Amino acid sequence: MKGWSREEMAQRVAADIPDGAYVNLGIGIPELVAQFVPRDREFIFQTENGLLGMGPSPPAGAEDPELINAGKKAVTAIPGAAYFHHADSFTMIRGGHIDVCVLGAMQISARGDLANWSTGEADAIPAVGGAMDLVAGVKRILVMTEHTTKTGEPKIVAECTYPLTGRGVVDRVYTNLAVLDVTEEGVAVRELAPGVSFEEVRAKTGAPLLPMAQESAR
Amino acid sequence: MKGWSREEMAQRVAADIPDGAYVNLGIGIPELVAQFVPRDREFIFQTENGLLGMGPSPPAGAEDPELINAGKKAVTAIPGAAYFHHADSFTMIRGGHIDVCVLGAMQISARGDLANWSTGEADAIPAVGGAMDLVAGVKRILVMTEHTTKTGEPKIVAECTYPLTGRGVVDRVYTNLAVLDVTEEGVAVRELAPGVSFEEVRAKTGAPLLPMAQESAR
Amino acid sequence: MIDKRCEAAAAAVADVRDGATIMIGGFGEAGSPIELIHALIDAGPRNLTVVSNNTGSGRVGLAALIARGQVRKMICSYPRSANSMVFPELHRRGEIELELVPQGTLAERIRCGGAGIPAFYTATAVGTVLAEGKESRRFEGSEYVMERGLRADFSLVKADRADRYGNLVYRRTARNFGPIMCTAAETTIVQVREMTEVGAIDPECVVTPGVFVDRIVVVPEPQQESVLVKEGRVYP
Amino acid sequence: MIDKRCEAAAAAVADVRDGATIMIGGFGEAGSPIELIHALIDAGPRNLTVVSNNTGSGRVGLAALIARGQVRKMICSYPRSANSMVFPELHRRGEIELELVPQGTLAERIRCGGAGIPAFYTATAVGTVLAEGKESRRFEGSEYVMERGLRADFSLVKADRADRYGNLVYRRTARNFGPIMCTAAETTIVQVREMTEVGAIDPECVVTPGVFVDRIVVVPEPQQESVLVKEGRVYP
């Protein structure tokens, strides 16, 4: 099959996260990353609603409505976990103590602007949650998303048209087609998914791509 | 004996503190207040180094160097006490959650300015501790002090000459001679110690006193 | 003797007046003081400003308070969710105001309100529509926006256990906004699952010291919002 | 596997460089990480800026670090006490700088440094010499001064127990500045009385979550400053 599945994307993201990292996973696709922690590494997952050391979903029937993640789904706590209140939780986030945050995206600009919280439509009810705090405070922001929208529009664009979550905050983007870095010079393809050509990625990207470095093509 | 002893002053202060009050006692003479809690009342003592529910000194030999008050003396914790860190402690103080603070004074001005932390002398090592936070944040500031200095100078003055701890912060002053309120109109004598005349208090006070109301003379 | 226990939720919220600002704990249903909210619906004050992370779900709890038209304005970070219809509908009709605040900024505004800090600076929301109209300022070359401390007339919070002094412990991620909201209101009202003897809570483990709590209501078996929603319940 | 334990205090402080800013926990001797301070004396970095509530007593611990001339500047609220001679003497001779900060403002500056907040406003010190030269501003008719968040290169903190993740619990009033200093440094080094198994600390009672801790040194029987002072001990 051409390109990466969501699970393969999650695995690719997990492979880039160093041992011992403190990680916050956004609601939705990013949650898959927790299933692909490499065997020789330990990640500590933080959820902004007050838990460090979040574990996997509990078995059916063992859900506790008072033990949930930021997406309000039932989770578990690992041995060595800690509970804390919201101000302490965002001390971790805003204060730069979380190493990696993996988020979904509606749009990413060539300069690393991220739009992932609102379509900006007049009748939409805006809801931001902790997204703006995460992109402002977490050391490294990874975005995990399909390369294009359901209607085939590029998500990586010259300028975001949706309301921003943060300016110049994205470090790396993992799509079904490629891994791309936001660099000072522009968007750089670091890796192509199996069967995907640089030209295809370029065609489906709304921002100029830097020429692909020899060593990162494989 | 003419005037009040320190113990009587402490008793007089304690009598003015309502049941259920959260109270912070300054280092020194104010600490005596804890010995005179009226039988039918319960005060909760806070010490800014991280304890709510401070109890009396431990018996000799039972001191714990990790259970101390703001004056760094050994204390105890009552059942129902709570320990917390310094930022949380000053959330209580700065946030207006402590009802009463009893402090010593070097000078009190007619407008309720307090000077109690520094002589301002060039070679003195200034040390402020939590005094400025307490006067800025605690709801009611009571001062407990001898009416005059050791050399007979008034401590209640028109303007403080020592560096201020806070402006317009003092509510009531308890001296060995009288109880005085800082009011919008000026300093008012509320009560005279046994054998002490209004004229004597006036003579030993460096600020004008309001005429004594009939009902408070006794 | 200090004893902050109230006999009933109705008595605990009886002095909430029209136009009051109320902080309501909870992240989704976790930590939502549903019995206190229902008592507030029964008490009937209107024109309220409510500070809460979400806007409730179904037609119970916070969503029911909003549905009854008692809330003029919501200050929150995430006003919609799977079963949240009441707020979006009223908001589209222009019948309820929304002040949208990033979650961490909301938490810090509440904490600062409780800590006597009138304003602070944060990098959160810089360069976004949520910073529009706000004062900004550079420190060490980076841009920040100024945010204001937030206080309320009342906080309604759910905790797990209390003693008569008001010392509180919470349960798991139901802690969320509770401890900071306890600090930021003139009057803090807490519902707990059980009262414990003074001294039963380890002083090293007290999460909210009693100084921040005014009234305690015991609700031994609190209702669960998601169950009520699933059953299609409507309050009152 | 995450394991933040260091074999020895010497190794834990070995990369502290000249000119570093160091936060040192403790209120008087309670919570003062005396073994880590002695390791810092042995390591010998100079020109340090030290943030600590006091300046130590006798000629051990923090007072010894100052006596050795390793500290250029102290940021503290209460630089003198009964047995504190070293700092006052050096300060009178103009050999050490002092930034005097009200205790609550010091605590909040540290907390804000750890929480990504570059500045905040407080009423503390308004109208006093400690507000001179500081920006002031009115909010709702009252005057406040602006204070800046405070960060350090290293924090040295004493706690009671830790697990390998760095989760910490403290003991009684030795907690004081420890938890906030853990959040405000690039590298946080903690001495604890004992290591516990992961899971042995109740997750509801963790005071400092492990994310704030980098290195842990076990000192099963820490020395007590007041005893050393009484014995007239001098370090090294």
Side-chain angles (χ1 to χ4, degrees):
Chain A
M1 204 185 90
K2 205 177 85 171
W4 283 311
S5 67
R6 287 178 171 192
E7 286 69 22
E8 286 165 333
M9 286 161 62
Q11 199 166 4
R12 188 64 194 73
V13 171
D16 276 358
I17 300 176
D19 187 30
Y22 291 90
V23 180
N24 181 297
L25 300 178
I27 301 171
I29 308 184
E31 293 177 54
L32 286 174
V33 171
Q35 300 175 18
F36 296 96
V37 180
R39 260 164 227 272
D40 55 344
R41 297 185 208 170
E42 193 173 19
F43 301 165
I44 304 287
F45 293 105
Q46 195 250 21
T47 179
E48 61 263 34
N49 54 312
L51 168 60
L52 187 71
M54 181 175 68
S57 306
E63 296 89 353
D64 176 349
E66 296 191 333
L67 181 46
I68 59 176
N69 67 10
K72 305 190 174 87
K73 287 192 213 131
V75 295
T76 52
I78 65 167
Y83 298 107
F84 36 82
H85 62 58
H86 251 78
D88 283 349
S89 182
F90 283 88
T91 286
M92 293 179 194
I93 291 168
R94 197 191 311 99
H97 303 280
I98 305 296
D99 299 303
V100 176
C101 179
V102 186
L103 289 168
M106 292 158 62
Q107 289 178 328
I108 306 106
S109 86
R111 282 194 311 268
D113 298 349
L114 175 67
N116 77 345
W117 70 285
S118 168
T119 60
E121 285 164 33
D123 69 338
I125 303 297
V128 67
M132 287 187 183
D133 307 282
L134 286 161
V135 300
V138 173
K139 286 179 200 153
R140 196 165 160 77
I141 302 293
L142 309 182
V143 167
M144 200 178 148
T145 178
E146 297 294 311
H147 204 87
T148 57
T149 66
K150 282 175 191 162
T151 57
E153 300 296 310
K155 286 190 157 202
I156 301 170
V157 293
E159 290 287 346
C160 296
T161 55
Y162 292 127
L164 295 187
T165 310
R167 277 194 203 278
V169 294
V170 175
D171 293 291
R172 184 169 274 197
V173 184
Y174 301 79
T175 77
N176 53 320
L177 303 183
V179 177
L180 308 97
D181 275 354
V182 176
T183 73
E184 296 282 308
E185 293 74 32
V187 179
V189 175
R190 290 294 177 223
E191 193 176 327
L192 293 168
V196 175
S197 69
F198 181 77
E199 280 313 311
E200 180 181 351
V201 173
R202 193 208 299 265
K204 292 180 174 171
T205 300
L209 294 182
L210 297 173
M212 204 166 168
Q214 205 58 36
E215 71 276 14
S216 52
R218 53 168 171 156
Chain B
M1 203 186 89
K2 205 178 86 170
W4 283 310
S5 68
R6 287 180 172 193
E7 285 69 21
E8 286 165 333
M9 286 162 62
Q11 199 166 6
R12 186 63 194 77
V13 171
D16 276 358
I17 299 176
D19 187 29
Y22 290 90
V23 180
N24 181 297
L25 300 178
I27 300 170
I29 309 183
E31 293 177 55
L32 286 173
V33 172
Q35 299 176 19
F36 295 97
V37 180
R39 260 164 225 273
D40 56 344
R41 296 184 208 171
E42 193 173 18
F43 302 166
I44 304 286
F45 293 105
Q46 195 250 20
T47 180
E48 62 263 34
N49 54 315
L51 168 60
L52 187 71
M54 181 175 68
S57 305
E63 296 90 353
D64 177 348
E66 295 192 332
L67 180 47
I68 58 175
N69 66 11
K72 305 193 175 84
K73 285 191 214 132
V75 295
T76 53
I78 65 167
Y83 298 109
F84 35 84
H85 62 59
H86 252 77
D88 282 350
S89 182
F90 283 88
T91 285
M92 294 179 193
I93 291 167
R94 196 190 312 100
H97 303 281
I98 305 296
D99 298 304
V100 176
C101 180
V102 186
L103 289 169
M106 291 158 62
Q107 289 177 328
I108 306 106
S109 86
R111 282 194 313 268
D113 297 350
L114 175 67
N116 78 344
W117 71 284
S118 168
T119 59
E121 284 163 33
D123 69 336
I125 302 297
V128 66
M132 289 189 182
D133 308 281
L134 286 161
V135 300
V138 174
K139 287 180 197 153
R140 196 165 160 78
I141 301 294
L142 309 182
V143 167
M144 200 176 149
T145 179
E146 297 296 310
H147 203 86
T148 57
T149 66
K150 282 172 190 163
T151 58
E153 299 297 311
K155 286 191 157 201
I156 301 170
V157 293
E159 292 286 346
C160 296
T161 54
Y162 291 127
L164 296 187
T165 310
R167 277 193 202 278
V169 296
V170 176
D171 293 292
R172 182 168 276 195
V173 183
Y174 300 79
T175 77
N176 52 322
L177 303 183
V179 177
L180 308 97
D181 275 353
V182 176
T183 74
E184 296 282 308
E185 294 75 32
V187 179
V189 175
R190 290 295 178 221
E191 194 176 327
L192 294 167
V196 175
S197 70
F198 181 78
E199 280 315 312
E200 179 181 352
V201 174
R202 195 208 299 267
K204 292 181 173 169
T205 301
L209 294 181
L210 295 174
M212 204 164 167
Q214 206 58 37
E215 71 276 13
S216 52
R218 52 168 172 156
Chain C
M1 193 179 85
I2 299 171
D3 191 351
K4 298 184 177 176
R5 182 160 165 177
C6 283
E7 275 313 302
V13 303
D15 56 348
V16 179
R17 298 279 168 259
D18 287 0
T21 296
I22 321 268
M23 291 181 179
I24 301 183
F27 184 87
E29 68 173 327
S32 181
I34 192 165
E35 280 76 12
L36 293 180
I37 300 170
H38 288 170
L40 192 63
I41 292 173
D42 298 345
R46 302 182 68 83
N47 212 20
L48 304 173
T49 296
V50 171
V51 181
S52 195
N53 190 60
N54 306 100
T55 61
S57 62
R59 305 273 295 190
V60 296
L62 178 52
L65 182 73
I66 295 168
R68 295 267 289 192
Q70 292 176 248
V71 183
R72 183 183 69 76
K73 178 180 176 178
M74 282 297 313
I75 301 178
C76 67
S77 90
Y78 209 86
R80 58 175 155 79
S81 56
N83 295 303
S84 170
M85 292 86 56
V86 170
F87 177 86
E89 199 180 304
L90 284 178
H91 187 63
R92 281 196 195 96
R93 292 212 306 259
E95 290 173 18
I96 190 165
E97 206 182 317
L98 169 65
E99 180 178 338
L100 189 72
V101 184
Q103 199 171 127
T105 299
L106 181 63
E108 191 63 18
R109 289 183 64 191
I110 295 166
R111 182 193 172 277
C112 285
I117 294 171
F120 63 95
Y121 294 89
T122 175
T124 297
V126 167
T128 77
V129 294
L130 296 191
E132 281 174 13
K134 287 179 182 162
E135 227 179 283
S136 76
R137 178 161 174 161
R138 297 186 84 80
F139 293 98
E140 268 89 62
S142 297
E143 193 179 339
Y144 298 86
V145 291
M146 190 177 83
E147 292 282 353
R148 299 296 308 275
L150 199 52
R151 289 191 56 83
D153 299 302
F154 294 87
S155 280
L156 308 186
V157 164
K158 183 185 187 179
D160 192 48
R161 283 179 300 139
D163 63 24
R164 67 179 171 86
Y165 289 131
N167 291 311
L168 304 180
V169 291
Y170 299 79
R171 192 169 167 277
R172 300 185 165 180
T173 56
R175 185 184 302 195
N176 58 70
F177 284 89
I180 50 175
M181 287 184 172
C182 284
T183 71
E186 291 309 307
T187 303
T188 292
I189 308 169
V190 182
Q191 73 168 68
V192 297
R193 199 177 45 78
E194 70 175 10
M195 292 297 289
T196 67
E197 286 304 304
V198 158
I201 302 174
D202 180 348
E204 302 283 6
C205 299
V206 171
V207 176
T208 293
V211 66
F212 297 121
V213 174
D214 298 289
R215 302 171 191 166
I216 301 164
V217 178
V218 180
V219 181
E221 293 183 4
Q223 292 177 289
Q224 202 181 306
E225 188 179 292
S226 56
V227 171
L228 299 181
V229 171
K230 208 170 288 173
E231 291 170 354
R233 298 273 283 278
V234 177
Y235 194 88
Chain D
M1 195 177 85
I2 298 171
D3 190 352
K4 298 183 177 177
R5 184 162 166 175
C6 282
E7 275 313 303
V13 303
D15 56 348
V16 178
R17 295 282 168 257
D18 286 2
T21 295
I22 321 268
M23 292 182 179
I24 300 183
F27 183 87
E29 69 173 325
S32 182
I34 192 165
E35 281 76 12
L36 293 180
I37 300 169
H38 287 171
L40 191 63
I41 292 172
D42 298 344
R46 301 183 69 84
N47 212 20
L48 303 174
T49 296
V50 171
V51 182
S52 195
N53 190 61
N54 307 100
T55 61
S57 62
R59 305 273 296 188
V60 296
L62 177 53
L65 183 72
I66 295 169
R68 293 270 287 192
Q70 292 177 249
V71 182
R72 183 184 70 78
K73 177 180 177 180
M74 281 297 312
I75 301 178
C76 68
S77 89
Y78 209 85
R80 57 174 155 81
S81 57
N83 295 304
S84 171
M85 291 87 56
V86 171
F87 176 85
E89 200 180 304
L90 284 179
H91 187 62
R92 280 196 197 94
R93 293 210 307 260
E95 290 173 17
I96 190 166
E97 204 182 321
L98 170 65
E99 180 178 339
L100 189 71
V101 183
Q103 198 171 127
T105 298
L106 182 63
E108 190 64 16
R109 290 181 64 189
I110 295 166
R111 182 194 172 274
C112 284
I117 294 172
F120 64 94
Y121 293 90
T122 175
T124 296
V126 166
T128 77
V129 294
L130 295 192
E132 280 173 14
K134 286 180 182 162
E135 223 180 286
S136 76
R137 177 161 174 163
R138 296 186 84 81
F139 293 98
E140 267 88 62
S142 297
E143 194 178 338
Y144 298 86
V145 291
M146 191 177 84
E147 292 282 356
R148 298 295 309 275
L150 200 51
R151 289 190 58 82
D153 299 302
F154 294 87
S155 279
L156 309 187
V157 165
K158 182 185 186 179
D160 191 49
R161 283 179 300 139
D163 63 23
R164 66 179 172 86
Y165 289 132
N167 291 310
L168 304 179
V169 291
Y170 299 79
R171 192 170 166 278
R172 300 184 165 181
T173 57
R175 186 184 302 194
N176 59 68
F177 284 89
I180 50 176
M181 286 182 171
C182 283
T183 70
E186 291 308 308
T187 302
T188 292
I189 307 169
V190 182
Q191 73 169 67
V192 297
R193 197 179 45 78
E194 71 174 10
M195 292 297 289
T196 67
E197 285 303 302
V198 158
I201 302 173
D202 180 349
E204 302 283 6
C205 299
V206 171
V207 175
T208 293
V211 65
F212 297 120
V213 174
D214 297 290
R215 302 173 192 166
I216 300 164
V217 178
V218 180
V219 181
E221 293 181 4
Q223 293 176 288
Q224 201 182 304
E225 187 178 293
S226 56
V227 170
L228 300 182
V229 172
K230 206 170 289 171
E231 292 170 353
R233 297 272 283 279
V234 175
Y235 194 87

